[in-house]
Amino acid sequence: MRYQIYALHNYRQIPQIDKLSEEDKFNIEVVGSVLPFKTNNYVVDELIDWDNYKEDPIFILNFPQKNMLDEADFNHMAKLIKSNADKATIKEEANIIREKLNPHPAGQLEYNVPELNGVKLTGVQHKYNETMLFFPAQGQTCHAYCTFCFRWPQFTNMDEMKFAMKEIESVIAYLKEHTEITDVLITGGDPMVMKGKIIDHYLTSLIEANIPHLRNIRIGSKTLGFWPYRYLTDEDAEVVLNAFKKVTDAGLSLAFMAHFNHYRELETETVQNAIKKIRATGAQIRTQSPLLNNINAKPEIWSKMWQKQVQLGLIPYYMFIARDTGAQKYFGVTLADAWEIFQKAYTRVSGICRTVRGPSMSCTPGKVRIIGITEVKGEKSFVLEFIQGRNSNWVARPFFAKYSAKALWMDDLKPAFNQEEFFFEEELSDMFLG
Ligand code: SF4
């Protein structure tokens, strides 16, 4: 299958686009001039139900929607576009709106970039002891863009791909020095947009470096949702699959961290064949998704998705809370609702689906999971725990936050029981203030 991209400049060529009203097309242009927009022929031909596009989760996942911007910002951009403002003005005004959308949440740019011999490794993050993230330069885009993406600034040229690097040698040197690292997560964008020979080069280099403490290579990817032909008909599909097999043949585990947002993405024959190909290399596929209003904020969607995943041999891994960036107002689900959706979905599936963890927030101190909502001596509170922490001693220690029906993110929470701060806060500020 030939890969065909559609973006703002050519989306009117999508064969099904005339199913949309003129107003909806204009809305795409307005919002798409602020937030990134890219889709492809697999998504439009095999996933979206065009007869029901307004409600269709995959359409909303991929096509900019009017309410993703504040009304005033939307109207401002609409006016500029209607008056045929020049490109530079549109770009300038779009950047002003983008700055209001918290483009760099969770201190990623400032806090997590390590150094090797006094030089910053700009394509690496090392936030948690055991896991290093590697952002290869060639993997910083995706086969399509999710409208909720928290990495949206890098697709709008705000970040100029500051994270990305090509030097696998520096990655390996850093790994050798850090014996606490057992896992490398290759991420993006989507690293599976890289050419097969580059994927092979990175994976082979990691294998041949023979690092005794390296046990697991993880690859974060949405290709199974957005372009499963990557493993079927792309001309270098076999090169990619062989590279995966080299990893497992070398005695390392290869965890393919697949990003699925809705069970509909698991239903095509194409994706099911691609899953079989990846699993045949010895890789394990684990799945993750944020919980998203307007796309998947119902327990029955999650229970059906986890059941289908397990049936196809995948391992449900994470339910995330949508990050405090971009169109969070449109996608955000309150923490209270998130826990309820998780709990209801979790109770409807069998034990082998309950490998999933969540709902979890990836925030500055670590990954914080909502264990539940409870009442102690008349005070209603959230029970929370770290799944991952900047200090691993924080992990798996329950702590309490005052209940708030409106809270959407960790920053909205206050400690319960008249505590002045959460148990980790002093140590966290020492980490950053030195
Ligand atoms: S695939 Fe991942 S990085 Fe790419 S747009 Fe979607 S969420 Fe963002």
Side-chain angles (χ1 to χ4, degrees):
M1 176 68 66
R2 209 180 122 256
Y3 172 56
Q4 164 75 53
I5 297 179
Y6 299 107
L8 208 53
H9 68 279
N10 69 344
Y11 83 96
R12 283 182 184 259
Q13 292 166 16
I14 293 174
Q16 303 87 343
I17 205 69
D18 285 333
K19 301 245 181 191
L20 265 63
S21 66
E22 277 312 311
E23 187 187 348
D24 284 337
K25 287 185 214 167
F26 180 68
N27 293 346
I28 288 174
E29 282 160 32
V30 175
V31 181
S33 62
V34 177
L35 295 168
F37 169 42
K38 176 160 97 180
T39 186
N40 67 50
N41 48 325
Y42 170 72
V43 178
V44 302
D45 292 340
E46 297 188 46
L47 288 183
I48 292 176
D49 172 7
W50 290 94
D51 291 326
N52 183 31
Y53 74 92
K54 280 185 196 286
E55 311 284 317
D56 185 74
I58 314 296
F59 180 77
I60 298 170
L61 162 71
N62 217 202
F63 283 71
Q65 307 289 312
K66 183 175 182 184
N67 294 335
M68 289 177 186
L69 294 183
D70 275 356
E71 201 181 340
D73 291 332
F74 180 90
N75 290 340
H76 180 57
M77 289 308 286
K79 209 166 147 194
L80 287 175
I81 290 171
K82 272 190 184 144
S83 64
N84 287 324
D86 58 78
K87 273 193 181 158
T89 310
I90 291 182
K91 194 174 159 200
E92 205 174 301
E93 295 300 310
N95 276 337
I96 293 171
I97 297 172
R98 287 170 186 152
E99 284 298 340
K100 292 195 264 184
L101 298 174
N102 188 25
H104 299 123
Q108 293 193 73
L109 291 183
E110 311 93 278
Y111 304 143
N112 305 325
V113 179
E115 289 186 0
L116 180 71
N117 305 326
V119 179
K120 277 205 182 300
L121 296 180
T122 52
V124 169
Q125 282 185 27
H126 190 189
K127 180 171 175 180
Y128 306 123
N129 267 347
E130 312 76 23
T131 308
M132 189 193 96
L133 272 60
F134 170 41
F135 295 78
Q138 306 89 337
Q140 297 311 308
T141 184
C142 309
H143 283 100
Y145 292 146
C146 309
T147 35
F148 61 80
C149 179
F150 72 95
R151 293 195 173 126
W152 62 273
Q154 85 183 42
F155 308 132
T156 54
N157 296 327
M158 282 183 92
D159 274 358
E160 292 158 359
M161 301 191 187
K162 276 180 195 154
F163 289 149
M165 70 189 284
K166 286 185 186 160
E167 297 82 9
I168 189 74
E169 295 76 20
S170 310
V171 171
I172 288 170
Y174 184 82
L175 271 173
K176 284 186 173 162
E177 274 191 11
H178 288 265
T179 53
E180 74 278 19
I181 299 176
T182 55
D183 292 39
V184 172
L185 168 59
I186 305 176
T187 185
D190 190 327
M192 290 295 109
V193 299
M194 296 191 292
K195 291 209 173 0
K197 63 179 186 202
I198 296 174
I199 295 169
D200 180 67
H201 170 65
Y202 286 142
L203 293 178
T204 310
S205 304
L206 284 167
I207 296 166
E208 288 176 353
N210 215 356
I211 301 164
H213 47 279
L214 179 65
R215 295 167 193 274
N216 311 308
I217 298 179
R218 305 190 213 169
I219 296 175
S221 177
K222 187 151 174 74
T223 33
L224 285 172
F226 278 164
W227 189 247
Y229 291 110
R230 181 76 192 95
Y231 310 97
L232 300 171
T233 57
D234 276 9
E235 60 183 8
D236 56 357
E238 282 306 316
V239 180
V240 175
L241 294 167
N242 281 336
F244 287 3
K245 190 151 186 315
K246 280 187 200 170
V247 175
T248 57
D249 283 350
L252 294 165
S253 97
L254 182 67
F256 188 97
M257 315 301 292
H259 176 177
F260 289 109
N261 307 112
H262 198 280
Y263 60 79
R264 288 257 311 280
E265 294 170 288
L266 296 154
E267 287 177 340
T268 68
E269 209 183 319
T270 316
V271 73
Q272 294 183 7
N273 287 336
I275 287 169
K276 282 186 196 146
K277 289 274 187 188
I278 293 177
R279 293 190 68 222
T281 68
Q284 282 193 324
I285 306 177
R286 292 175 196 268
T287 63
Q288 54 194 20
S289 169
L291 173 63
L292 301 157
N293 201 9
N294 295 300
I295 292 183
N296 62 19
K298 288 191 182 135
E300 55 274 23
I301 296 178
W302 285 85
S303 52
K304 201 166 163 184
M305 180 160 73
W306 294 333
Q307 283 166 330
K308 188 75 197 165
Q309 288 170 353
V310 169
Q311 188 188 351
L312 295 171
L314 320 185
I315 306 165
Y317 187 51
Y318 268 129
M319 174 201 271
F320 286 115
I321 304 278
R323 286 206 184 179
D324 50 344
T325 179
Q328 190 210 24
K329 279 203 185 117
Y330 181 82
F331 290 116
V333 175
T334 64
L335 301 184
D337 286 348
W339 179 73
E340 203 177 310
I341 291 167
F342 180 87
Q343 199 262 350
K344 281 195 178 138
Y346 197 77
T347 53
R348 288 175 192 178
V349 296
S350 74
I352 53 171
C353 298
R354 293 187 184 158
T355 45
V356 66
R357 303 187 299 176
S360 164
M361 293 171 270
S362 283
C363 41
T364 307
K367 283 197 178 73
V368 176
R369 174 167 92 96
I370 305 164
I371 301 178
I373 296 172
T374 191
E375 208 170 295
V376 179
K377 293 193 176 165
E379 185 174 335
K380 200 171 175 186
S381 58
F382 287 112
V383 189
L384 308 165
E385 72 169 4
F386 281 96
I387 299 175
Q388 275 288 17
R390 281 183 188 274
N391 178 342
S392 23
N393 288 329
W394 300 346
V395 173
R397 287 170 54 178
F399 63 103
F400 295 85
K402 253 189 201 137
Y403 178 81
S404 151
K406 287 192 188 148
L408 286 164
W409 193 249
M410 188 69 195
D411 296 353
D412 303 329
L413 296 179
K414 302 263 179 296
F417 313 128
N418 296 322
Q419 299 290 305
E420 285 193 0
E421 53 180 27
F422 292 116
F423 77 90
F424 56 87
E425 282 187 283
E426 194 178 333
E427 198 180 336
L428 182 72
S429 57
D430 286 350
M431 283 176 187
F432 297 133
L433 298 175

